[in-house]
Amino acid sequence: MANGLTYARKTDSTESTKQLAETLAPYLHPGDVVVLSGDLGAGKTQFVQGVAAGLGVSAQVTSPTFNILLEYHDGRIPLYHFDLYRLDDADELENTGYYDVIDADGVSFIEWGEKFPGALPYGYLEVRILVTPEGGRRIIAHALGNRARQLLTVWASLSKTTANAGGFILPGGAPMTTGSIPPIRVEDASVSAGETAFDTDGDAGRASRDA
């Protein structure tokens, strides 16, 4: 994780991880891509379950390990959940519809996307989930590209104060509408003990796939 904006947060249970993920959902737009990394059992699918709840998905969200792709269309926007663990070669992505889906009408969550860095889009949000010695989770989110940076800035600024609340409130008390992402500066992001939000090197993304 070399360039862009990075945000770190600790959770102490499965439910708190899902709650944190749920706070991301209102700010997701069609075309957003989130790459999830972490060891087996770290909680990648649980993170997607939290996002799905925030999007209003009523279907049960399960791991797509054997399906490669599972789709959910009953939420605010379509949710596409990839698991690339069982793929051995990037050429296999073509048969899954991967390239069409990540440019489609919903948000794509990709587990094990780091296996094929050349297939990742120019801009995306990377979420790394680490297991702590205490059994909790350390979640490190990193933005590559302008859109992902904008998304992460808002999420980092607001998630800690709204994980257990019913709405998302902008600084100054103005309500935030779904799909509206204000130009909050990085230094305005609200962080506290155990959390960090810092800009490492501007908006540089990873141009790893030809348009």
Side-chain angles (χ1 to χ4, degrees):
M1 295 189 298
N3 300 315
L5 176 69
T6 296
Y7 169 58
R9 182 80 179 268
K10 291 181 180 179
T11 61
D12 58 10
S13 67
T14 297
E15 284 308 310
S16 60
T17 298
K18 289 181 180 180
Q19 288 175 358
L20 177 62
E22 188 171 351
T23 66
L24 175 63
Y27 312 116
L28 293 170
H29 289 177
D32 284 341
V33 174
V34 181
V35 177
L36 297 167
S37 64
D39 291 338
L40 289 169
K44 298 182 292 296
T45 293
Q46 292 167 354
F47 192 92
V48 178
Q49 289 170 346
V51 170
L55 290 175
V57 173
S58 59
Q60 182 178 5
V61 175
T62 59
S63 173
T65 299
F66 295 99
N67 304 82
I68 309 300
L69 169 64
L70 291 175
E71 304 181 16
Y72 305 91
H73 293 271
D74 58 336
R76 177 175 64 82
I77 57 175
L79 171 62
Y80 301 103
H81 185 190
F82 285 94
D83 187 329
L84 308 184
Y85 181 77
R86 292 171 59 84
L87 299 185
D88 297 318
D89 192 287
D91 291 341
E92 297 176 83
L93 292 171
E94 199 72 49
N95 296 329
T96 70
Y98 171 85
Y99 296 110
D100 292 331
V101 169
I102 64 173
D103 291 329
D105 57 346
V107 57
S108 297
F109 281 77
I110 306 170
E111 298 188 29
W112 301 99
E114 70 273 17
K115 290 184 63 177
F116 309 110
L120 295 177
Y122 174 82
Y124 59 91
L125 182 65
E126 180 181 17
V127 175
R128 187 179 181 192
I129 304 176
L130 307 175
V131 181
T132 67
E134 301 79 19
R137 298 295 186 268
R138 181 167 175 79
I139 297 169
I140 304 172
H142 182 72
L144 290 167
N146 291 333
R147 163 60 191 159
R149 174 188 167 96
Q150 190 182 38
L151 172 63
L152 182 54
T153 299
V154 176
W155 185 40
S157 178
L158 303 178
S159 65
K160 81 178 184 67
T161 61
T162 57
N164 297 311
F168 288 76
I169 306 298
L170 287 172
M176 183 171 188
T177 58
T178 297
S180 173
I181 296 185
I184 297 176
R185 294 173 61 84
V186 171
E187 54 264 38
D188 292 335
S190 174
V191 295
S192 62
E195 301 170 338
T196 58
F198 52 90
D199 190 15
T200 56
D201 192 18
D203 294 332
R206 184 181 303 169
S208 56
R209 180 165 68 90
D210 292 338

